[in-house]
Amino acid sequence: MPAAFHLDSSFLSLPNSLQLLTLSTNIMVQYLLITANVGSLFEPDARLHAAWVKTVADQVDYVDPSFFVIHLQETGGKKFTECSQQVPIIISRLSTALPKFDLLRAYVDIDYEAIEYTALGALCFIKRSLWSSVSQFNFHTKKYEQLTSPKEVVTHGLENYPYVVKHKFPKDFWPSIKWGRKGYMQTRWKIANRVFDFVNAHLFHDESNLALIHENPQLYSQNRKRALDFVLSELSAMENGCTPLLFVFGDLNFRLDSRSFLNRLTERTAPHPVEQEQMGSLADGLQTPTASLQVAAHPSENLRRTVSAIEFRRESDSDDSQNSCVLRIEKKKFDYFNHKKLLDDWQSYRDDDKEAENFKSMFEMNINFPPTYPWSEDPEDSETLMKTRAPAWCDRVLMNKNAFGLVKEGAPEYRSFGMETCTGDHKPVMLTFNI
């Protein structure tokens, strides 16, 4: 969006030198922040690349920002040893699709042999008209530096790179996980004399759906809170007297409150745990571990069993009727009897999205878009939810109080996009505003 200046008589009466100074410190900058979990993009056939690049580029063209940042999670995907080589290629294709930007800073962690491997990426696109008003923070010298070279793409050695802070979360945050790549990446910028911290965070996911009905259903959300509190504490320690405009946007893996959400879905049903030995041939070859569960969705029940699945069946139907099952939950299965209705009625369970409330110092624009996860990874069926997890708003843009105050005044737009395109199991989320 073009900047608009209204020059009144008092401005025109100033000396020329003061007019130039006033103009240089009153630049209207349009910002665009996008977060995208791209793990599903990286397959040997790279079949989703072209559609994903076009989908992102179309949003950028629509907003027409001067400063655009996209945070990526799971670069290289699950087959990272084979597919990480695709990452520089997709960056190049995105850059080519955005010819209005003259400067690119891309920091993408694809060094999967490194101890601190996070698979995170931060891509910053800047228009030439803004170059003179932008400087980048050097975390080694603690100084801001003017931008000179038009393009910089760094994929290895980010642990010691001066313009990035990147850390994997400490292992003791989740000792039961032998290997993981969750962590955060930070860049800091001075834009028109305002300091911005852009932080890409990838928090812990729900390892098993059975935790929804566990005696401690908040197990995973507690670990996410611990991780994000750690990030916020680390950022606070390095402020050195200045409070940047902080934006934390990434795959925060926030999930719905299990008790209220399941109660909403399973009214007038009874829970039926399916024990391992009852599953017969269904359990053959199944790698889902058993778990000791207490049904939390129905507080009146006090079932404690070793189960591999649980079904919520209509009380009016016989227990053995296949048609009586409203919802079946397994470790990696969330099978609701009408999955289309589950997506169409997303507004009915917006109130169950409460996890962001755990962070009192962070704020967010109102969410008026469908869950961002888990969408179909099939290009032929991209507008449906997969039956692997409960729907959730995993992909978020949070900000501190100072940033939130400015964003609210800057004609903000906060939404997901790519509904008609296969962007993998996550839909990207964008926040645009002007300052």
Side-chain angles (χ1 to χ4, degrees):
M1 298 182 184
F5 297 100
H6 303 281
L7 306 182
D8 58 22
S9 58
S10 61
F11 173 85
L12 294 174
S13 65
L14 293 172
N16 288 342
S17 59
L18 289 180
Q19 288 184 20
L20 289 174
L21 177 62
T22 302
L23 281 173
S24 68
T25 57
N26 285 278
I27 299 171
M28 182 70 78
V29 181
Q30 187 72 32
Y31 295 88
L32 174 61
L33 314 181
I34 291 179
T35 178
N37 185 311
V38 292
S40 302
L41 301 187
F42 297 99
E43 295 290 338
D45 59 6
R47 61 177 181 163
L48 301 182
H49 285 201
W52 184 87
V53 168
K54 183 179 186 305
T55 299
V56 172
D58 286 348
Q59 293 301 313
V60 177
D61 288 342
Y62 165 76
V63 174
D64 194 22
S66 302
F67 195 97
F68 162 46
V69 183
I70 181 167
H71 282 172
L72 309 175
Q73 305 85 39
E74 295 193 27
T75 59
K78 293 182 174 63
K79 302 173 183 177
F80 50 86
T81 57
E82 180 179 358
C83 297
S84 287
Q85 60 186 348
Q86 297 176 8
V87 175
I89 297 172
I90 203 170
I91 293 174
S92 177
R93 293 181 69 174
L94 182 59
S95 180
T96 301
L98 299 174
K100 293 182 180 180
F101 294 90
D102 308 281
L103 185 144
L104 167 64
R105 292 291 181 269
Y107 310 112
V108 189
D109 185 10
I110 63 174
D111 187 5
Y112 53 82
E113 294 183 344
I115 296 175
E116 286 284 302
Y117 173 53
T118 63
L120 294 174
L123 280 58
C124 304
F125 293 84
I126 306 170
K127 287 185 177 177
R128 183 176 295 277
S129 59
L130 201 60
W131 274 31
S132 61
S133 301
V134 176
S135 55
Q136 188 174 12
F137 191 66
N138 184 318
F139 290 98
H140 290 184
T141 64
K142 310 299 183 187
K143 295 179 180 179
Y144 292 93
E145 299 177 0
Q146 290 295 316
L147 305 173
T148 53
S149 59
K151 183 176 291 188
E152 186 176 271
V153 179
V154 184
T155 59
H156 289 70
L158 288 169
E159 293 83 2
N160 300 308
Y161 200 70
Y163 303 105
V164 174
V165 172
K166 178 187 74 79
H167 290 298
K168 191 159 69 171
F169 292 126
K171 187 172 177 57
D172 62 353
F173 274 26
W174 203 311
S176 64
I177 296 181
K178 295 181 180 179
W179 181 89
R181 49 185 177 176
K182 303 295 195 295
Y184 76 97
M185 176 183 289
Q186 173 195 7
T187 61
R188 176 174 288 183
W189 304 81
K190 184 178 284 186
I191 308 169
N193 292 321
R194 297 185 189 273
V195 176
F196 291 79
D197 270 358
F198 297 123
V199 178
N200 184 3
H202 192 187
L203 305 185
F204 301 111
H205 63 286
D206 281 19
E207 191 177 18
S208 171
N209 290 329
L210 294 175
L212 295 171
I213 49 177
H214 196 276
E215 57 190 358
N216 180 15
Q218 296 181 334
L219 171 68
Y220 298 125
S221 62
Q222 289 168 349
N223 279 334
R224 284 190 285 273
K225 184 177 188 316
R226 186 180 182 190
L228 189 50
D229 282 345
F230 170 80
V231 174
L232 297 177
S233 176
E234 292 290 299
L235 296 174
S236 177
M238 62 185 299
E239 285 182 1
N240 295 325
C242 85
T243 303
L245 302 174
L246 171 62
F247 294 85
V248 178
F249 51 113
D251 180 1
L252 304 186
N253 264 313
F254 290 168
R255 305 302 170 102
L256 302 181
D257 178 85
S258 60
R259 182 181 293 269
S260 59
F261 178 57
L262 289 181
N263 271 335
R264 195 183 303 277
L265 290 188
T266 60
E267 285 184 304
R268 296 183 294 277
T269 69
H272 292 262
V274 181
E275 298 183 41
Q276 183 76 21
E277 59 269 21
Q278 294 177 342
M279 297 182 71
S281 60
L282 181 63
D284 294 342
L286 196 64
Q287 299 302 312
T288 303
T290 59
S292 179
L293 305 176
Q294 181 175 345
V295 178
H298 291 258
S300 60
E301 300 286 344
N302 187 24
L303 301 177
R304 189 173 179 83
R305 307 266 184 86
T306 299
V307 303
S308 292
I310 188 166
E311 292 183 349
F312 293 89
R313 302 172 187 164
R314 295 185 183 90
E315 296 172 326
S316 58
D317 296 332
S318 60
D319 289 346
D320 58 354
S321 170
Q322 290 184 347
N323 295 327
S324 71
C325 183
V326 171
L327 174 65
R328 182 182 175 95
I329 298 175
E330 298 175 18
K331 181 184 179 184
K332 294 186 177 180
K333 185 175 185 178
F334 190 89
D335 191 358
Y336 188 60
F337 81 105
N338 188 339
H339 229 62
K340 184 179 185 302
K341 183 177 185 296
L342 186 65
L343 175 58
D344 292 343
D345 293 350
W346 63 266
Q347 290 174 314
S348 68
Y349 50 86
R350 268 296 305 138
D351 289 344
D352 301 327
D353 175 47
K354 304 174 182 178
E355 203 166 330
E357 298 172 6
N358 292 334
F359 307 96
K360 302 303 181 185
S361 66
M362 302 300 289
F363 300 83
E364 183 179 26
M365 303 305 298
N366 289 332
I367 291 178
N368 291 305
F369 49 85
T372 63
Y373 175 83
W375 289 84
S376 172
E377 299 171 302
D378 181 358
E380 303 300 321
D381 192 29
S382 62
E383 298 181 42
T384 62
L385 292 175
M386 290 193 293
K387 297 182 178 182
T388 52
R389 304 285 187 181
W393 286 267
C394 292
D395 309 273
R396 315 288 279 254
V397 182
L398 306 184
M399 61 206 93
N400 64 3
K401 186 176 181 180
N402 288 350
F404 185 62
L406 286 173
V407 168
K408 284 196 301 182
E409 298 175 358
E413 185 178 4
Y414 186 41
R415 60 182 174 84
S416 61
F417 62 92
M419 295 301 159
E420 299 175 357
T421 307
C422 183
T423 60
D425 56 351
H426 289 254
K427 294 299 181 187
V429 169
M430 57 168 276
L431 172 66
T432 182
F433 56 93
N434 61 65
I435 297 179

